Amino acid sequence: MSSRLALYARRAPRPVHFSEMLKFGPTPHPNTLLATSRFLADEISVRLAHRHAELESLPYGLSTTREAALVREWYSISFNELTRFYDDLDRHSRDPGMAPAWTKNWWHRLGQSDDSGSKTSTADVPRGVAATSAVVEPTPSMPLTPDRYYTPNPPPLPPHMQDAVPQYTKRFTSLLHGIVERHNPVVVTVSKNVPRLLPAHMPQHHPEVQAFLNRFHANRVGVRVLIGHHLALSNPKARRFPNHIGIVCTKTDTVAVAQEAATDASEICEQNFGVAPPVHIVLANQTTISDSDIASSAALSLVYIPSHLHHILFELLKNAMRATLLKHTPSSGSPIPPVTITVTPTATNISIKIADQGCGIPRAQLANVMTYAYTTAATSVAPDGSNSATAAAVDDLFTGSELQAPMAGFGYGLPLARLYARYFKGDLSISSTQGKGTEVELTLRRDWVNDDEQVVL
Ligand SMILES: Nc1ncnc2c1ncn2[C@@H]1O[C@H](COP(=O)(O)OP(=O)(O)OP(=O)(O)O)[C@@H](O)[C@H]1O
Ligand SMILES: [Mg+2]
């Protein structure tokens, strides 16, 4: 590990308060985005450095595998790109005559424009200038960064630096796009690595392996949310979506998203089984929701990231449809019972229950379904991981590519859906009766924006 990576791996991450994601508004000021990009370059570097360190010290020889080396290399390349990006900007800004205006004023004042109270700086680990009243001169290992994700009212820049802002923004967003693309195969590569290489006495359901997978994927979700949000905020085309601030929709219509997820899951189901169970969407009082109700029902909307909600529901619906068709085989000629989505809004939450009348889950297996890589699907993951439905879907969340995935086979659908739900302070629970059916309840919290992101180390 390079000394710079090691240094960053010793730093604590700085969780983002979710409310800050909304403060940008639909059309953020370029200087606000510049300040955030500076924060992100630093913060994402810290988080990548932690993952890189963990990938070097996995138990049971997992770190020595080709796949682990490959993933580590991706982390290392992205880390170097991010940390070098602002070295460049600093060089530019430290031209004679520029330093007072740029370094000492702008970055420094960014830190001071924060109202969060006193700050401290540690000498042995890099921190932002915001930490002290004296200006800390930047070194390659001590970048000047704003101390928080969102900087209200950044001070104006000197005109010739202001002119450079669009160019920096463009370069930074293309760097982020490159990172997203580079890391797209990570889910497949890691999941491929783990089951193949564990010693026989160490099933992948072992708590230590599960804990690693959970940390790894939770971290990945956090980084991708921050990157996805910044890319959307910086993209003028994304600003045209009504009620959107970056990737967050302030009026995410849960019923509309459920309908889209049902359409997509039905399509995949038909491709795999030739038929799909009907999907009924009902309100808690069992009234079937008609199209006209959908638009008018403010209670059914909340602040959320629609693509995340779609992903969670899509995974749950695929499971429910598959279980239904395992019990009610299309060739039997008997009618296929519906999958029912029940949406219950309350003042604090929206609950979405997905109930099927499928094969159910044996009581002894119920505790396993939330573990990574537990699956009963016959078409298990191909040795090259190529038919990994969930991995493809997870990566599609950020690349926007078309879903072309089989129904099941990876054992990641439920644990990742729960991880996504929990990232935004919600939850996922499952109850089932073998032979009768299964009900999965997704709880979305309306007030998640009042919480801090939880960064898992
Ligand atoms: N609604 C359900 N009814 C019956 N069994 C279910 C249901 N949902 C999940 N399961 C069981 O839990 C297992 C794990 O589900 P999970 O979604 O995590 O993985 P998967 O569907 O097998 O593969 P994928 O990662 O592609 O989703 C399934 O293989 C199945 O045995
Ligand atoms: Mg599944």
Side-chain angles (χ1 to χ4, degrees):
M1 188 192 272
S2 78
S3 58
R4 202 175 197 189
L5 258 169
L7 197 60
Y8 274 70
R10 286 169 47 214
R11 291 177 55 193
R14 289 177 286 177
V16 168
H17 195 273
F18 285 127
S19 66
E20 293 187 285
M21 291 178 76
L22 299 177
K23 287 187 180 161
F24 293 90
T27 45
H29 192 280
N31 292 4
T32 305
L33 285 178
L34 180 68
T36 297
S37 62
R38 175 69 170 213
F39 174 91
L40 285 180
D42 188 58
E43 178 60 16
I44 295 171
S45 302
V46 169
R47 299 191 195 186
L48 295 183
H50 278 279
R51 288 284 70 77
H52 187 280
E54 177 161 38
L55 284 166
E56 275 197 334
S57 55
L58 292 176
Y60 310 104
L62 287 171
S63 292
T64 58
T65 64
R66 199 174 60 84
E67 287 87 350
L70 189 63
V71 174
R72 262 199 318 266
E73 192 185 319
W74 294 335
Y75 275 79
S76 165
I77 294 170
S78 300
F79 172 86
N80 285 332
E81 283 180 0
L82 280 166
T83 46
R84 280 194 201 127
F85 187 81
Y86 276 101
D87 288 352
D88 214 19
L89 185 59
D90 286 338
R91 254 196 306 281
H92 190 167
S93 65
R94 274 183 257 152
D95 286 349
M98 268 308 300
W102 173 262
T103 307
K104 289 189 179 162
N105 281 343
W106 209 71
W107 293 129
H108 185 46
R109 281 164 63 193
L110 280 184
Q112 289 186 325
S113 64
D114 168 6
D115 55 1
S116 66
S118 65
K119 304 182 187 92
T120 52
S121 177
T122 46
D124 60 337
V125 293
R127 272 298 291 253
V129 296
T132 59
S133 55
V135 172
V136 180
E137 288 301 331
T139 68
S141 62
M142 186 176 279
L144 293 162
T145 72
D147 209 28
R148 62 199 297 188
Y149 174 59
Y150 174 78
T151 305
N153 309 317
L157 285 162
H160 58 297
M161 290 308 292
Q162 189 67 54
D163 292 346
V165 169
Q167 193 201 335
Y168 276 109
T169 304
K170 208 168 151 206
R171 277 181 48 203
F172 188 67
T173 50
S174 69
L175 189 154
L176 292 182
H177 274 296
I179 290 176
V180 167
E181 237 167 72
R182 177 176 306 121
H183 292 248
N184 270 346
V186 163
V187 174
V188 172
T189 311
V190 169
S191 58
K192 228 168 80 178
N193 190 24
V194 170
R196 204 161 49 80
L197 295 158
L198 284 174
H201 70 274
M202 180 83 182
Q204 53 188 314
H205 306 148
H206 191 286
E208 203 177 332
V209 177
Q210 291 292 319
F212 158 68
L213 289 172
N214 207 51
R215 274 196 306 278
F216 191 83
H217 291 296
N219 195 274
R220 184 178 155 87
V221 169
V223 167
R224 290 211 155 203
V225 164
L226 293 181
I227 291 181
H229 196 51
H230 195 72
L231 288 175
L233 287 169
S234 311
N235 180 358
K237 284 189 199 145
R239 293 177 194 159
R240 286 195 221 124
F241 297 124
N243 305 317
H244 271 71
I245 298 173
I247 54 172
V248 182
C249 176
T250 53
K251 291 182 182 160
T252 303
D253 182 337
T254 52
V255 174
V257 176
Q259 273 180 332
E260 273 173 44
T263 305
D264 293 342
S266 301
E267 201 179 304
I268 301 278
C269 187
E270 279 164 18
Q271 282 167 15
N272 283 265
F273 289 90
V275 65
V279 178
H280 294 171
I281 304 184
V282 298
L283 278 179
N285 63 9
Q286 299 300 307
T287 319
T288 303
I289 294 175
S290 72
D291 284 347
S292 59
D293 291 330
I294 293 169
S296 64
S297 206
L300 300 171
S301 299
L302 81 168
V303 179
Y304 214 72
I305 300 179
S307 59
H308 279 212
L309 180 58
H310 180 283
H311 173 74
I312 296 169
L313 296 177
F314 174 72
E315 290 299 327
L316 302 181
L317 285 163
K318 273 193 309 168
N319 286 351
M321 290 181 179
R322 172 173 167 256
T324 302
L325 295 173
L326 287 181
K327 184 171 173 201
H328 305 271
T329 46
S331 56
S332 72
S334 55
I336 300 170
V339 170
T340 306
I341 305 177
T342 308
V343 185
T344 312
T346 69
T348 53
N349 296 334
I350 297 183
S351 142
I352 306 179
K353 285 186 184 151
I354 299 191
D356 64 65
Q357 298 167 47
C359 57
I361 301 167
R363 186 190 285 263
Q365 295 301 331
L366 201 54
N368 292 330
V369 296
M370 289 290 180
T371 48
Y372 291 93
Y374 171 82
T375 182
T376 55
T379 53
S380 207
V381 191
D384 68 351
S386 58
N387 74 340
S388 49
T390 305
V394 167
D395 292 336
D396 283 341
L397 267 178
F398 300 95
T399 56
S401 57
E402 287 298 311
L403 284 170
Q404 282 192 335
M407 286 291 283
F410 201 42
Y412 269 54
L414 281 175
L416 280 183
R418 186 170 69 173
L419 194 132
Y420 275 87
R422 287 183 171 174
Y423 182 75
F424 292 116
K425 313 297 171 184
D427 211 348
L428 195 74
S429 61
I430 184 160
S431 56
S432 185
T433 309
Q434 188 173 11
K436 289 212 162 153
T438 300
E439 184 177 276
V440 183
E441 179 171 15
L442 169 67
T443 309
L444 306 173
R445 260 182 46 191
R446 292 189 191 275
D447 65 347
W448 62 270
V449 285
N450 299 330
D451 263 311
D452 270 330
E453 173 198 23
Q454 200 193 351
V455 182
V456 185
L457 283 187

